[in-house]
Amino acid sequence: MEKVMFIEIGMGIDLHGQNVTKAAVRAVQNAIHHNSMPGLRMVLPENNIHNMKVNVRLAIPADQDKLDLETVRAELPYGEVTFEVIEGGMLTSSGVVIAEKDDRNDLAYVVIASVEVGY
């Protein structure tokens, strides 16, 4: 990415089911769903929203091999999207195991996302 225009940070949690993808999707949604960038098109090459570059850094606490990046990518409809997955986030107790929610244990997965946008 030649020019970074903004960076948004988000957190996502899967309280039950230990689904790292669900927590990652929620982290990306949390990062991007509270802003509007009406002037972005004017500064992008050819004034085209598809020329935007988006880099998503995900701090994942466990089960990196189960992370479905295509499902996370679907939350970012424009631009060229790249990912960096690092160890991080948090595993903490949800306080209860609920079999109907597919819990394997009482762990809640917390994922942190940093979404960089530029061109």
Side-chain angles (χ1 to χ4, degrees), residues 44-58:
L44 290 173
E46 302 172 14
N47 297 326
N48 187 333
I49 197 81
H50 296 289
N51 289 329
M52 175 174 63
K53 292 187 179 178
V54 181
N55 185 59
V56 179
R57 185 173 294 116
L58 296 170

Side-chain angles (χ1 to χ4, degrees), residues 57-61 64 84-89 112:
R57 185 173 294 116
L58 296 170
I60 305 290
Q64 284 189 17
E84 294 177 57
V85 179
I86 63 173
E87 290 184 22
I112 306 299

Side-chain angles (χ1 to χ4, degrees), residues 19-70:
N19 186 323
V20 70
T21 300
K22 186 185 292 185
V25 164
R26 289 175 175 168
V28 168
Q29 288 173 340
N30 182 249
I32 68 170
H33 285 180
H34 301 287
N35 59 59
S36 177
M37 302 174 289
L40 182 63
R41 232 176 261 245
M42 292 183 293
V43 298
L44 290 173
E46 302 172 14
N47 297 326
N48 187 333
I49 197 81
H50 296 289
N51 289 329
M52 175 174 63
K53 292 187 179 178
V54 181
N55 185 59
V56 179
R57 185 173 294 116
L58 296 170
I60 305 290
D63 296 340
Q64 284 189 17
D65 59 320
K66 294 179 181 174
L67 178 62
D68 181 354
L69 289 178
E70 291 309 309

Side-chain angles (χ1 to χ4, degrees), residues 76-95:
L76 303 156
Y78 303 109
E80 177 186 324
V81 180
T82 57
F83 289 96
E84 294 177 57
V85 179
I86 63 173
E87 290 184 22
M90 176 187 284
L91 294 176
T92 190
S93 175
S94 67

